[in-house]
């Protein structure tokens, strides 16, 4: 049984859970409540073995997430802002989530919204989506991981240009610089996203989680350390029933049935 939320919708479709940020009248901007509820929804899904993959999107056809709720910035002190970001970090909740998360980007994906997408594992965009880190226009800078994750994903030069100019780019440009995996017409966004989500969700959950962990190590360690960790995680797969099932199913020329054990 799901908790009920004020600012988001949580739906399960087979082994895929869909979180929809539901403040379309504010272009799904992230206020404190949304951050808390987003982290709580992820916590619920973390322990739910019936869920293999999470998709996050925004309600309506205009925005994925148009950033932090700027109205909350007015009059806020530095210490209060730090408490919001450290104590209720939605970005850390995404980053440390063990199952794959796919951003289904249906519109404005700006500031903290772009940082949410960057903290996801795969990004699929509608042709109508747009991306940017416009914080510089407010006299601030990205604070939800944008300077770090965008730089790792698209390289220092492109990250510098986007963050320092605050320029908004279209989905095609985002694809060209490697910010998104796919760009599709708006009416195909959900089908494309669910196709990828379902294909991942039918794999063995333990090997999916270990593979995700190994890939995340790549941008956080040097090559020797990453390769060592990969061997450890690869070897750990050999302790699972799913490894026996996958190998036997191949040898017996049948489809594997994974149990997540
Ligand atoms: N924080 C708070 N409110 C926001 C918001 C944000 N990040 N983004 C949009 N809104 C609100 C608007 O204030 C407006 O509220 P109102 O109807 O009470 O006046 C409502 O959402 C609709 O926004 P509007 O600007 O009229 O819609 P639009 O479709 O013409 O433009 C954007 C959409 C996203 C281009 C524009 O709202 C914008 O530039 N938002 C800020 C983006 C940003 O700087 N994000 C980084 C924050 S750190």
């Amino acid at each position: 049984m799901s908790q009920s939320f004020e600012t988001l919708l949580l739906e399960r479709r087979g082994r895929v859970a869909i979180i929809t940020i539901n403040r379309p009248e504010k272009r799904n901007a992230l206020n404190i409540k949304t951050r808390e509820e987003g982290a709580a929804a992820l916590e619920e899904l973390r322990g739910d073995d019936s869920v293999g993959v999470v998709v996050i999107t925004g309600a309506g056809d205009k925005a994925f997430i148009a950033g932090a709720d700027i109205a909350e910035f007015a009059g806020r002190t530095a210490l209060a802002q730090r408490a919001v970001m450290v104590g209720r970090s939605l970005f850390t909740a995404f980053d440390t989530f063990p199952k794959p998360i796919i951003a289904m980007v249906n519109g404005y994906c700006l500031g903290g919204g772009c940082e949410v997408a960057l903290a996801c594992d795969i990004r699929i965009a509608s042709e109508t989506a747009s991306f940017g880190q416009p914080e510089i226009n407010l006299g601030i800078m990205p604070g939800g991981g944008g300077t770090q994750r965008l730089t790792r994903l698209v390289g220092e030069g492109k990250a510098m240009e986007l963050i320092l100019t605050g320029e908004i780019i279209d989905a095609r440009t985002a694809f060209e610089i490697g910010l998104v995996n796919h760009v599709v017409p708006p009416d195909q966004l959900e089908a494309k996203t669910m196709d990828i989500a379902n294909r991942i969700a039918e794999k063995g959950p333990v090997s999916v989680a270990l593979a995700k962990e190994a890939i995340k190590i790549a941008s956080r360690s040097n090559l020797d350390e990453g390769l060592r960790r990969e061997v450890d995680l690869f070897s750990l797969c050999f302790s699972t029933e799913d490894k026996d099932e996958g190998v036997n199913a191949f040898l017996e020329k049948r489809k594997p049935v994974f149990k997540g054990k």
Side-chain angles (χ1 to χ4, degrees):
M1 183 64 190
S2 259
Q3 313 166 58
S4 60
F5 299 102
E6 267 175 45
T7 62
L8 55 86
L9 307 168
L10 177 55
E11 179 196 347
R12 287 168 173 80
R13 279 194 223 162
R15 289 185 46 73
V16 179
I18 304 171
I19 298 173
T20 304
I21 306 295
N22 192 23
R23 301 183 73 215
E25 71 291 349
K26 293 291 178 191
R27 303 298 179 261
N28 302 319
L30 295 175
N31 60 3
I32 288 179
K33 188 81 185 165
T34 316
R35 290 165 191 264
E36 285 174 347
E37 292 193 334
L42 282 181
E43 203 45 45
E44 175 180 321
L45 298 173
R46 175 190 283 265
D48 183 343
D49 290 341
S50 72
V51 171
V53 175
V54 175
V55 168
I56 177 151
T57 192
D61 57 5
K62 292 211 167 86
F64 172 69
I65 298 169
D69 191 319
I70 299 170
E72 288 185 346
F73 285 168
R76 189 180 272 168
T77 65
L79 286 179
Q81 181 60 31
R82 189 167 188 268
V84 168
M85 299 187 79
V86 174
R88 304 181 181 92
S89 177
L90 184 59
F91 309 103
T92 303
F94 272 82
D95 200 32
T96 55
F97 194 68
K99 306 173 191 186
I101 312 185
I102 303 177
M104 182 164 84
V105 183
N106 52 319
Y108 293 115
C109 181
L110 306 176
C114 193
E115 290 171 308
V116 165
L118 288 165
C120 291
D121 302 309
I122 294 172
R123 287 152 289 279
I124 319 287
S126 158
E127 283 167 351
T128 56
S130 54
F131 296 79
Q133 299 286 165
E135 292 89 342
I136 210 84
N137 298 323
L138 301 171
I140 53 174
M141 58 173 276
T147 61
Q148 304 304 302
R149 293 196 185 93
L150 184 63
T151 304
R152 281 168 168 76
L153 196 61
V154 305
E156 189 177 289
K158 293 189 177 78
M160 280 285 184
E161 187 177 338
L162 279 169
I163 291 171
L164 300 186
T165 65
E167 182 195 0
I168 310 290
I169 56 172
D170 62 22
R172 186 58 54 193
T173 308
F175 174 77
E176 281 162 11
I177 66 172
L179 178 44
V180 298
N181 297 53
H182 299 277
V183 181
V184 295
D187 61 350
Q188 290 170 29
L189 179 64
E190 193 173 302
K192 179 72 183 175
T193 307
M194 290 305 289
D195 174 52
I196 294 174
N198 283 320
R199 279 195 283 142
I200 296 171
E202 70 181 26
K203 313 292 184 209
V206 179
S207 56
V208 165
L210 295 179
K212 169 171 169 169
E213 188 178 332
I215 294 165
K216 287 217 152 206
I217 291 167
S219 59
R220 293 162 191 222
S221 69
N222 65 42
L223 183 59
D224 288 340
E225 165 72 4
L227 292 173
R228 264 196 303 277
R229 301 279 299 277
E230 184 191 68
V231 168
D232 289 343
L233 293 168
F234 175 76
S235 302
L236 200 51
C237 295
F238 281 62
S239 69
T240 65
E241 290 178 25
D242 281 352
K243 170 256 171 186
D244 294 335
E245 169 62 9
V247 170
N248 289 337
F250 175 82
L251 296 174
E252 292 161 15
K253 300 188 188 306
R254 62 175 174 83
K255 210 169 175 264
V257 181
F258 294 118
K259 292 192 193 131
K261 290 184 188 161

